[in-house]
Amino acid sequence: LADDDAPVTLSERLGLDAEAQALRLAFYGFGEADRAELVSLAPICDRHLDEYIADFYAHLLRFPALESLLRSEPGRVAKLQGLQRSYFQQMVSGRTDEGYFESRLRVGDAHQRLGVAPQWYIGAFGLILRLWLRVLAEETESREELVRRFESLIKVVFLDMSLALDTYILGGFVDRDKADRLERATAMAEDALRVKQNTERLKDDLSSMVVHDLKNPVNGIAMMVQLALRKGTELPEAHRGYLLHIDRTCREMLRLIQNLLEISQIEDGKMPVTLETVTMAEIAAEVALQSEPPPGESGRSLRVEVDPTLPPVIADRGLLRRILSNLVINALRHSGSSDIRVEATASPGEVTIKVIDRGAGIAPDDVPRLFEKFRSVRRSPSDTPIGDTGLGLPFCKLAVELMGGRIGVESAPGEGAVFWLSLPSIVTR
Ligand code: HEM
């Protein structure tokens, strides 16, 4: 549209052309008889206008929100009363032409701009009708005439009200107070999100620094210790014990570093995954072999009871081994249970493997946090969560989901825990 063709009047902006205006009047049942009826009310209106306007403002001023709006500028009430006087006179002019529509739309538009919420404005139309009813009851002789007059007034008031609502909607009226509160809440939420994103970025930076700066030295120490253990056959038993302890600690650190590294790889979408058919029994046996409880913790036992005839799953062999290994090590270290079992079951299209302990269990509040990054959950009062950064479970969740599987835990305090993971299986007949 060229500027000259752009709609200028409110009727044009609302698409309220002559046809639409006629349709509106028809729907409100407004006709020639109503025009005549309203014109006949003009002398009554004139006689009662002062008292009418006084009552109208007395009512509005009883409500503090409206009073402050009305008194926000000196002389506003007096000015308004003048404007309203002609508004009421137009109401009984019998005119419902284009100019009438436009004037009604303008008044509605003015109120929506002023921030007079629709509930006040509609209530004020109701008040107009009630004031009229009171006057007409006094001034009309027959009941039939009262009904006719009042019907015509209802039609014109509802017409005005509908036009006012059109402009409220056109203006996209928003309750200022509520909008301000919403805006403040949004700003607070955005701030919190920014702080959270910054913290996440800091954590990620820290993680990658830790990984790169720690992995090589720890690897170096581990290699030297293994060399010393292999070559140092004449070492005293106590020294061998120290070296074995260092070896275990190094492997533990490497496991954490590896988890951290893989979590960021998965998050960056850079984790290579090779899916193949794998049997759970095989993986469970390999994990059991690696995770035998170390000496000193020999009070704990690990039983693996996985049926080798279960359908194979589709998984990355290395990844699955590391997931299961994390779950088993967690149970051995943190459940406080002396007896850990690994079992598996098949359901259509899926095999589920479970790591079951009979330890202290997990508090219901802690369950949702278990798989979150950088959250460690204390599994028993004597457990030190510091011992593990909690990265094992977040890694497991990301890795299982990467292979199209699911992971979860079922537990109740005092009743042990069952960590389970399900992976898609080859369908066998
Ligand atoms: C159906 C009932 C109402 C009618 C017929 C009416 C009528 C009018 C008219 C004709 C104007 C002048 C509009 C213009 O500038 O073109 C006006 C303005 C205004 N009305 Fe109303 N009004 C009604 C309800 C209310 C209510 C409920 C409030 C609440 C406080 C209100 C507050 C105002 C204010 C603050 C102005 C602006 C006055 C100015 O220009 O300083 N009105 N009204």
Side-chain angles (χ1 to χ4, degrees):
L1 280 179
D3 273 356
D4 294 348
D5 300 332
V8 278
T9 65
L10 287 163
S11 311
E12 279 175 323
R13 289 177 59 201
L14 282 158
L16 258 177
D17 57 12
E19 200 183 329
Q21 292 179 10
L23 188 69
R24 178 84 55 109
L25 289 173
F27 189 72
Y28 284 72
F30 194 96
E32 284 312 316
D34 298 296
R35 251 181 265 287
E37 207 64 66
L38 291 175
V39 171
S40 78
L41 293 179
I44 303 179
C45 178
D46 278 345
R47 256 195 315 252
H48 291 274
L49 204 49
D50 288 341
E51 127 204 8
Y52 207 100
I53 286 178
D55 283 358
F56 187 84
Y57 279 92
H59 184 76
L60 298 195
L61 290 169
R62 256 181 243 135
F63 296 86
L66 304 189
E67 189 192 5
S68 58
L69 199 74
L70 290 168
R71 298 212 194 276
S72 64
E73 281 173 26
R76 195 172 221 183
V77 173
K79 174 182 160 200
L80 249 179
Q81 289 181 336
L83 287 164
Q84 207 147 29
R85 186 172 275 276
S86 52
Y87 185 97
F88 286 133
Q89 284 165 338
Q90 282 162 19
M91 204 177 251
V92 288
S93 66
R95 270 181 60 197
T96 54
D97 56 9
E98 215 174 291
Y100 184 88
F101 269 79
E102 189 61 23
S103 80
R104 269 29 193 169
L105 292 172
R106 264 206 309 271
V107 176
D109 191 49
H111 288 82
Q112 77 87 14
R113 277 174 205 282
L114 285 161
V116 178
Q119 78 262 26
W120 302 117
Y121 200 46
I122 291 174
F125 280 113
L127 180 60
I128 292 176
L129 277 178
R130 280 185 283 132
L131 293 173
W132 263 110
L133 184 61
R134 221 183 290 157
V135 168
L136 289 183
E138 281 170 23
E139 297 260 356
T140 316
E141 276 164 20
S142 79
R143 228 171 101 172
E144 291 72 27
E145 198 184 8
L146 176 65
V147 170
R148 274 201 317 274
R149 286 175 158 183
F150 203 61
E151 266 195 29
S152 301
L153 273 170
I154 288 179
K155 290 175 191 175
V156 80
V157 166
F158 274 72
L159 173 67
D160 282 10
M161 193 153 61
S162 77
L163 296 171
L165 286 185
D166 280 351
T167 48
Y168 267 83
I169 294 166
L170 179 72
F173 176 82
V174 275
D175 184 320
R176 265 295 122 226
D177 263 5
K178 285 202 188 98
D180 287 352
R181 259 179 283 147
L182 263 178
E183 215 169 281
R184 275 198 300 278
T186 312
M188 275 165 70
E190 276 170 358
D191 278 355
L193 193 66
R194 245 193 315 278
V195 170
K196 189 166 182 290
Q197 280 167 343
N198 279 345
T199 316
E200 285 292 323
R201 216 189 31 250
L202 274 175
K203 280 181 188 166
D204 287 346
D205 290 353
L206 186 68
S207 308
S208 56
M209 189 192 81
V210 166
V211 166
H212 293 108
D213 293 358
L214 276 189
K215 197 177 175 197
N216 291 342
V218 175
N219 240 336
I221 298 170
M223 274 163 58
M224 296 313 286
V225 170
Q226 274 160 20
L227 200 66
L229 279 169
R230 236 181 296 137
K231 300 264 173 181
T233 41
E234 71 288 357
L235 280 175
E237 205 40 47
H239 289 188
R240 282 191 71 76
Y242 299 145
L243 287 175
L244 282 169
H245 191 79
I246 297 173
D247 183 46
R248 262 204 320 280
T249 312
C250 282
R251 263 190 283 143
E252 178 57 13
M253 279 180 81
L254 286 171
R255 182 177 76 93
L256 289 180
I257 293 171
Q258 190 68 17
N259 279 344
L260 206 53
L261 200 65
E262 291 187 340
I263 285 174
S264 59
Q265 259 184 335
I266 297 175
E267 283 179 341
D268 294 349
K270 290 182 188 153
M271 165 70 87
V273 178
T274 314
L275 294 178
E276 53 183 317
T277 53
V278 184
T279 56
M280 281 290 196
E282 220 178 285
I283 300 291
E286 288 172 18
V287 168
L289 211 63
Q290 289 169 359
S291 339
E292 280 306 324
E297 289 173 56
S298 50
R300 304 192 169 169
S301 78
L302 174 67
R303 264 190 298 145
V304 176
E305 288 161 9
V306 179
D307 180 354
T309 65
L310 287 177
V313 294
I314 301 155
D316 180 302
R317 179 179 291 273
L319 213 49
L320 179 55
R321 196 186 303 119
R322 300 206 350 80
I323 297 165
L324 194 59
S325 164
N326 264 296
L327 294 183
V328 167
I329 290 174
N330 253 346
L332 285 169
R333 298 248 166 92
H334 301 292
S335 70
S337 168
S338 57
D339 161 33
I340 312 292
R341 274 179 302 133
V342 178
E343 294 177 4
T345 51
S347 55
E350 217 176 49
V351 170
T352 301
I353 190 157
K354 295 173 180 174
V355 179
I356 305 162
D357 71 60
R358 291 191 298 168
I362 300 157
D365 284 354
D366 286 335
V367 170
R369 297 190 298 138
L370 273 178
F371 295 97
E372 276 177 42
K373 230 184 351 172
F374 300 112
R375 295 275 196 173
S376 50
V377 171
R378 201 185 286 268
R379 297 283 302 276
S380 66
S382 58
D383 187 22
T384 43
I386 314 301
D388 194 320
T389 56
L391 284 174
L393 291 175
F395 159 74
C396 291
K397 182 171 160 61
L398 287 171
V400 168
E401 286 169 359
L402 193 62
M403 296 189 289
R406 295 173 297 127
I407 191 167
V409 63
E410 274 147 32
S411 178
E415 289 178 18
V418 178
F419 280 88
W420 57 263
L421 73 94
S422 301
L423 284 169
S425 65
I426 298 280
V427 182
T428 50
R429 277 163 225 273

